[in-house]
Amino acid sequence: MLDIYAGKSALVLIEKEGFQQHVFSSFLGASGGPKWFSLFGLDKHLFGHFFTQRSQPLNLIGSSAGAFRAACFAQNDPVAAISRLAKYYSQTSYADKVTPLEISDSARVLLDRVLGENGAQEIIDNAIFNAHFLVAKSNGLVASERKPLQIAGLVKSYALNRFNRKLLTKQYERFVFQNARSTLNIKDESGFLTHKVSLTQDNIKESLLASGSIPMVMLGIKNIPGAPNGMYRDGGIIDYHFDISLNNSSGLTLYPHFNAQPKAGWFDKSLKRPVNLQNYDKTVMLVPSSKFVDSLPFGKIPDREDFTKMTTDVRIAYWQKVLQETEALAVSFAEFVEQQDLSKIKLLA
């Protein structure tokens, strides 16, 4: 049910110390909207069992949906929080011809439900599970909320990225809204400027919303407290599935993901450009197997196109079924950890 991949250095360390929670110092959560539903059961097991005895800090690094997941994991009851996210996100529905404002307003309601009364402060105060929300500050035409200008800016981004990802660095900057205790440093060979901002009650909701604010689909977030004035949008623009190294993170990185072929940024989705495998040298990926995906309704994992290609009733029923079926991934992972059959780990290539 679950495929496990590891970089070379990660495999060496696991063969030496075993597949145990203490070998990990970071956790990645990617963009992808409802694709995350395919990891729901696994997420509950990881933060309801695998990491529960944690005594050393674990960096939770997420963009877009991954940031929302990180916000759940850093609350005092991560299983309850991630269950709220799954429940309310999977039941989201929109009227025909929904506007970006309406989708953004819906996201704010979702976030309030996920955080509850004390969740924001719990994330800020957590000394073990250190949240990091990745956000893309958008400069130039992509900062505009005027549709023609934003489209022109995105077309420019797409064209520049096809030639060289480094050419996007004038249009976007990476902002990491993070637990104030964090000392994590992100190294980016593409050259995106990376700025750190400590999470506070004034900026935690705005930074989370910004991390999931998809261009053209939602409104951007302006002038987040603690950060320079400007327009902030979906962290997946730069960090869709990640192509970064965590410089001073001593342990391995655990990365549950929808597939074993991550894409660096949002504009790489249609490209065959691979990530730098050296950035995954100390990473372990947990991936739903093709057999598991084939067994799901429609033979696929959820995605945002389900909103437009399916009726609301069909979509919600399908998504609920996927959430239920992912319990099998948790069972598969638990059996692997108990048996320590390291022959099941495949080398990332």
Side-chain angles (χ1 to χ4, degrees):
M1 287 293 180
L2 189 68
D3 288 337
I4 304 173
Y5 299 86
K8 290 182 179 179
S9 293
L11 189 55
V12 169
L13 182 60
I14 290 170
E15 287 174 342
K16 178 182 178 181
E17 299 196 24
F19 198 103
Q20 308 293 339
Q21 64 87 14
H22 72 267
V23 304
F24 298 99
S25 58
S26 296
F27 180 98
L28 288 179
S31 300
K35 291 178 182 177
W36 158 72
F37 293 150
S38 63
L39 304 173
F40 174 57
L42 190 58
D43 278 355
K44 287 193 296 179
H45 180 82
L46 288 171
F47 289 89
H49 296 279
F50 188 66
F51 284 125
T52 53
Q53 302 303 313
R54 190 82 189 178
S55 59
Q56 295 299 313
L58 183 73
N59 299 310
L60 308 173
I61 305 149
S63 63
S64 199
F68 273 63
R69 290 164 64 208
C72 293
F73 303 147
Q75 293 183 53
N76 292 351
D77 189 340
V79 174
I82 201 72
S83 297
R84 290 194 299 272
L85 176 60
K87 175 183 177 180
Y88 293 116
Y89 189 6
S90 66
Q91 295 176 0
T92 297
S93 61
Y94 302 113
D96 293 339
K97 298 182 179 179
V98 64
T99 67
L101 175 59
E102 290 168 334
I103 296 177
S104 293
D105 286 345
S106 178
R108 286 185 180 276
V109 173
L110 171 65
L111 181 57
D112 285 341
R113 287 171 167 169
V114 170
L115 293 178
E117 185 176 349
N118 301 312
Q121 194 61 51
E122 291 170 4
I123 295 166
I124 293 167
D125 292 341
N126 202 321
I128 301 297
F129 298 104
N130 291 337
H132 301 72
F133 309 142
L134 304 188
V135 178
K137 184 175 183 292
S138 301
N139 304 318
L141 293 177
V142 287
S144 177
E145 292 290 22
R146 294 179 60 188
K147 190 173 181 178
L149 295 181
Q150 191 179 152
I151 290 174
L154 293 172
V155 169
K156 178 182 178 181
S157 296
Y158 178 79
L160 290 174
N161 183 71
R162 283 189 66 88
F163 186 74
N164 192 324
R165 176 171 155 85
K166 294 181 179 180
L167 296 177
L168 296 179
T169 56
K170 291 185 178 181
Q171 285 185 290
Y172 306 100
E173 302 171 53
R174 177 187 295 107
F175 273 74
V176 186
F177 292 84
Q178 63 186 41
N179 186 301
R181 300 168 184 79
S182 174
T183 60
L184 181 69
N185 284 324
I186 292 176
K187 182 180 179 181
D188 180 2
E189 61 197 33
S190 293
F192 290 100
L193 292 176
T194 300
H195 314 269
K196 302 177 184 179
V197 179
S198 293
L199 286 169
T200 66
Q201 279 286 356
D202 290 333
N203 65 25
I204 187 168
K205 287 187 178 182
E206 296 302 287
S207 60
L208 260 173
L209 286 167
S211 187
S213 292
I214 306 165
M216 300 301 299
V217 176
M218 301 170 67
L219 300 179
I221 304 296
K222 293 182 180 179
N223 306 338
I224 300 177
N229 286 348
M231 181 64 76
Y232 295 82
R233 299 193 187 276
D234 198 307
I237 295 173
I238 297 174
D239 298 302
Y240 190 57
H241 297 161
F242 309 108
D243 195 7
I244 55 178
S245 62
L246 309 178
N247 262 18
N248 58 335
S249 184
S250 58
L252 305 183
T253 298
L254 188 61
Y255 186 14
H257 192 46
F258 333 118
N259 59 60
Q261 291 82 41
K263 300 290 186 179
W266 195 46
F267 297 103
D268 291 312
K269 289 190 292 182
S270 63
L271 304 181
K272 295 182 179 180
R273 179 187 297 160
V275 295
N276 182 355
L277 278 182
Q278 188 59 38
N279 289 335
Y280 283 76
D281 182 53
K282 295 171 64 179
T283 298
V284 175
M285 296 186 74
L286 306 177
V287 180
S289 69
S290 57
K291 182 178 180 181
F292 173 79
V293 174
D294 289 343
S295 73
L296 297 175
F298 306 106
K300 72 176 193 68
I301 65 173
D303 59 62
R304 283 200 301 115
E305 291 187 357
D306 296 340
F307 278 109
T308 56
K309 291 186 176 181
M310 298 180 185
T311 65
T312 299
D313 289 345
V314 168
R315 172 180 55 80
I316 291 178
Y318 157 46
W319 285 2
Q320 297 303 315
K321 180 64 173 176
V322 171
L323 292 171
Q324 295 168 12
E325 292 298 315
T326 60
E327 297 297 335
L329 300 180
V331 172
S332 181
F333 178 77
E335 290 175 348
F336 166 75
V337 173
E338 181 179 358
Q339 296 167 3
Q340 291 290 306
D341 184 1
L342 303 186
S343 67
K344 293 183 178 180
I345 302 178
K346 305 173 187 180
L347 190 65
L348 272 170

Short mmCIF file of all heavy atoms in Angstrom, two decimals, residues 6 23 54 65 73 85 90 155 157-158 170 198 226 230 237 249 252 271 284 286 327 348:
data_model
loop_
_atom_site.label_atom_id
_atom_site.label_comp_id
_atom_site.label_asym_id
_atom_site.label_seq_id
_atom_site.Cartn_x
_atom_site.Cartn_y
_atom_site.Cartn_z
N ALA A 6 14.26 6.59 -0.20
CA ALA A 6 15.23 7.32 0.63
C ALA A 6 16.43 7.73 -0.21
O ALA A 6 16.84 7.02 -1.13
CB ALA A 6 15.69 6.45 1.79
N VAL A 23 15.55 9.80 14.26
CA VAL A 23 16.51 10.07 13.19
C VAL A 23 16.05 11.25 12.33
O VAL A 23 16.82 11.76 11.52
CB VAL A 23 16.75 8.83 12.29
CG1 VAL A 23 17.21 7.65 13.14
CG2 VAL A 23 15.53 8.48 11.47
N ARG A 54 8.23 12.49 21.03
CA ARG A 54 9.26 13.43 20.58
C ARG A 54 9.73 14.32 21.72
O ARG A 54 8.91 14.90 22.46
CB ARG A 54 8.69 14.29 19.46
CG ARG A 54 9.69 15.15 18.74
CD ARG A 54 10.40 14.36 17.69
NE ARG A 54 11.53 15.11 17.13
CZ ARG A 54 12.35 14.63 16.22
NH1 ARG A 54 12.19 13.42 15.75
NH2 ARG A 54 13.35 15.36 15.76
N ALA A 65 -1.36 23.76 1.06
CA ALA A 65 -2.00 22.72 1.87
C ALA A 65 -1.03 22.15 2.89
O ALA A 65 -1.43 21.78 4.01
CB ALA A 65 -2.53 21.60 0.97
N PHE A 73 -0.37 19.98 12.89
CA PHE A 73 0.59 19.16 13.63
C PHE A 73 1.20 19.89 14.82
O PHE A 73 1.66 19.27 15.78
CB PHE A 73 1.71 18.68 12.71
CG PHE A 73 1.23 17.91 11.51
CD1 PHE A 73 1.92 17.99 10.30
CD2 PHE A 73 0.10 17.11 11.58
CE1 PHE A 73 1.49 17.28 9.19
CE2 PHE A 73 -0.34 16.40 10.47
CZ PHE A 73 0.36 16.49 9.28
N LEU A 85 -9.45 19.68 9.65
CA LEU A 85 -9.06 20.15 8.32
C LEU A 85 -9.65 19.23 7.25
O LEU A 85 -10.23 19.72 6.26
CB LEU A 85 -7.53 20.18 8.20
CG LEU A 85 -6.98 20.56 6.82
CD1 LEU A 85 -7.43 21.96 6.41
CD2 LEU A 85 -5.45 20.48 6.81
N SER A 90 -12.97 18.86 2.94
CA SER A 90 -13.61 17.92 2.02
C SER A 90 -15.08 18.23 1.79
O SER A 90 -15.65 17.83 0.76
CB SER A 90 -13.47 16.49 2.55
OG SER A 90 -14.19 16.31 3.75
N VAL A 155 1.96 34.70 -17.20
CA VAL A 155 2.47 34.24 -18.49
C VAL A 155 3.97 34.50 -18.59
O VAL A 155 4.74 33.65 -19.06
CB VAL A 155 1.72 34.92 -19.65
CG1 VAL A 155 2.41 34.64 -20.99
CG2 VAL A 155 0.27 34.43 -19.71
N SER A 157 5.99 34.67 -16.06
CA SER A 157 6.63 33.71 -15.15
C SER A 157 6.79 32.35 -15.82
O SER A 157 7.84 31.71 -15.73
CB SER A 157 5.80 33.56 -13.87
OG SER A 157 5.73 34.75 -13.15
N TYR A 158 5.72 31.92 -16.48
CA TYR A 158 5.76 30.61 -17.13
C TYR A 158 6.85 30.56 -18.20
O TYR A 158 7.62 29.59 -18.29
CB TYR A 158 4.39 30.31 -17.76
CG TYR A 158 4.34 29.00 -18.50
CD1 TYR A 158 4.21 27.79 -17.81
CD2 TYR A 158 4.44 28.97 -19.89
CE1 TYR A 158 4.18 26.58 -18.50
CE2 TYR A 158 4.41 27.76 -20.58
CZ TYR A 158 4.28 26.57 -19.88
OH TYR A 158 4.25 25.39 -20.56
N LYS A 170 13.33 37.68 -9.64
CA LYS A 170 12.93 39.09 -9.54
C LYS A 170 11.43 39.24 -9.33
O LYS A 170 10.97 40.28 -8.85
CB LYS A 170 13.38 39.86 -10.79
CG LYS A 170 14.89 40.03 -10.89
CD LYS A 170 15.27 40.90 -12.07
CE LYS A 170 16.78 41.10 -12.14
NZ LYS A 170 17.17 41.97 -13.28
N SER A 198 9.09 35.85 12.38
CA SER A 198 8.57 35.07 13.51
C SER A 198 7.04 35.11 13.53
O SER A 198 6.42 36.15 13.27
CB SER A 198 9.11 35.62 14.83
OG SER A 198 10.50 35.40 14.93
N GLY A 226 4.69 42.26 10.38
CA GLY A 226 6.02 41.72 10.63
C GLY A 226 6.85 41.53 9.38
O GLY A 226 8.05 41.26 9.46
N GLY A 230 3.53 44.61 0.81
CA GLY A 230 3.52 44.01 -0.51
C GLY A 230 2.45 42.94 -0.61
O GLY A 230 1.63 42.77 0.30
N ILE A 237 4.06 28.57 -5.45
CA ILE A 237 4.59 29.21 -6.65
C ILE A 237 6.09 28.93 -6.75
O ILE A 237 6.61 28.58 -7.81
CB ILE A 237 4.33 30.73 -6.63
CG1 ILE A 237 2.83 31.03 -6.68
CG2 ILE A 237 5.05 31.41 -7.80
CD1 ILE A 237 2.50 32.49 -6.49
N SER A 249 19.92 21.45 9.46
CA SER A 249 19.04 20.45 10.03
C SER A 249 19.84 19.15 10.12
O SER A 249 20.18 18.54 9.11
CB SER A 249 17.81 20.26 9.14
OG SER A 249 16.90 19.37 9.72
N LEU A 252 17.41 13.60 9.45
CA LEU A 252 16.78 13.33 8.17
C LEU A 252 15.47 14.11 8.04
O LEU A 252 14.95 14.63 9.02
CB LEU A 252 16.51 11.84 8.02
CG LEU A 252 17.68 10.89 8.19
CD1 LEU A 252 17.25 9.46 7.92
CD2 LEU A 252 18.85 11.29 7.29
N LEU A 271 6.40 20.44 -16.83
CA LEU A 271 7.74 20.21 -17.35
C LEU A 271 8.31 18.89 -16.84
O LEU A 271 7.91 18.39 -15.79
CB LEU A 271 8.67 21.36 -16.93
CG LEU A 271 8.26 22.78 -17.32
CD1 LEU A 271 9.30 23.78 -16.85
CD2 LEU A 271 8.05 22.89 -18.83
N VAL A 284 13.50 10.98 3.34
CA VAL A 284 12.72 9.75 3.19
C VAL A 284 11.32 10.15 2.73
O VAL A 284 10.66 10.98 3.37
CB VAL A 284 12.62 8.96 4.51
CG1 VAL A 284 11.69 7.75 4.34
CG2 VAL A 284 14.00 8.52 4.97
N LEU A 286 7.42 9.00 1.79
CA LEU A 286 6.36 8.01 1.98
C LEU A 286 5.30 8.29 0.93
O LEU A 286 4.69 9.36 0.93
CB LEU A 286 5.76 8.12 3.38
CG LEU A 286 6.74 8.05 4.57
CD1 LEU A 286 5.98 8.24 5.89
CD2 LEU A 286 7.50 6.73 4.56
N GLU A 327 -6.64 4.98 5.74
CA GLU A 327 -6.26 4.28 6.97
C GLU A 327 -5.35 3.09 6.65
O GLU A 327 -4.52 2.70 7.48
CB GLU A 327 -7.52 3.80 7.71
CG GLU A 327 -8.44 4.91 8.18
CD GLU A 327 -7.80 5.83 9.20
OE1 GLU A 327 -6.86 5.40 9.90
OE2 GLU A 327 -8.22 7.01 9.28
N LEU A 348 16.03 6.69 -3.85
CA LEU A 348 15.53 7.78 -4.69
C LEU A 348 16.43 7.96 -5.89
O LEU A 348 17.66 8.06 -5.78
CB LEU A 348 15.49 9.08 -3.88
CG LEU A 348 14.22 9.36 -3.06
CD1 LEU A 348 14.44 10.54 -2.13
CD2 LEU A 348 13.04 9.62 -3.97
#
